[in-house]
Amino acid sequence: MANEQEKGAAGRAAAKLVRDGDIVGLGTGSTAYFAVVALGERVKSGLKIIGIPTSVQTADLARQLGIPLTTLDEHPAIDITIDGADEVDPKLNLIKGGGGALLREKVVASASKRMVVVADSAKIVPVLGKFPLPVEVIPFARTVVEKKIVALGASPKLRTKPDGSPFLTDNGNQILDCSFGKIADPPALAVTLSNTPGIVEHGLFIGLASVALVGRGGRVEELRP
Ligand code: 5RP
């Protein structure tokens, strides 16, 4: 419950940063949800924005709220993106992908002038890696990638649906949740994973976040890299 309040406070604070005329990247997850809802309220009051959703789930929510949507083909430059995170370190390196939307989230973040991370206080960590790192793989390559990740010292676990079948991302790929333990050098691991054939994307977001708005008790803290 405390987390929900912190998430709500962070999400609403981030929505206030959006200005008339902005192209806005709309993140995915339970914290980004509060920002999207707050943006929907501002749109009803006359704010003119166009959103680029990072998932089918967020696109559905934005449509219900009356937020006009566009695509990266029509608007390849995004003014501001608001998105959640599973872990945030002191340099604002992130682990993302708990909700399975990491690929589109990273594309949208990389096309954004500013990425505002919204989080509850439990997401702030001194070192990334307690949260298993989501790695999106093409199904064809899964076993090969699993072996490479084991060789890196991690335990990969295929994400499954409640019926036991593999979870599929919006892009038709599978996710390996990889327990690395403490990640000593996130930028180096990010490069290694990005260079592994069969990995479409991984949840390490290095140097993409501009600011983090973190709900803590009744306040919202602002963290910068
Ligand atoms: C989805 C994400 C989410 O932003 C991340 O999992 C945080 O989610 P929540 O705000 O629900 O804790 O990366 O792919």
Side-chain angles (χ1 to χ4, degrees), residues 65-118:
L65 295 165
I67 300 174
L69 297 180
T70 186
T71 63
L72 281 173
D73 293 328
E74 284 168 13
H75 289 94
I78 299 173
D79 295 298
I80 179 169
T81 285
I82 303 172
D83 204 350
D86 300 298
E87 285 187 346
V88 181
D89 81 4
K91 292 184 174 161
L92 299 197
N93 293 321
L94 314 172
I95 286 183
K96 283 186 54 56
L102 63 148
L103 173 56
R104 295 191 193 186
E105 289 174 334
K106 197 181 278 188
V107 173
V108 166
S110 71
S112 301
K113 286 182 203 145
R114 275 197 301 165
M115 181 196 187
V116 179
V117 176
V118 288

Side-chain angles (χ1 to χ4, degrees), residues 63 111 158 180:
R63 275 192 209 98
L158 178 66
F180 276 91

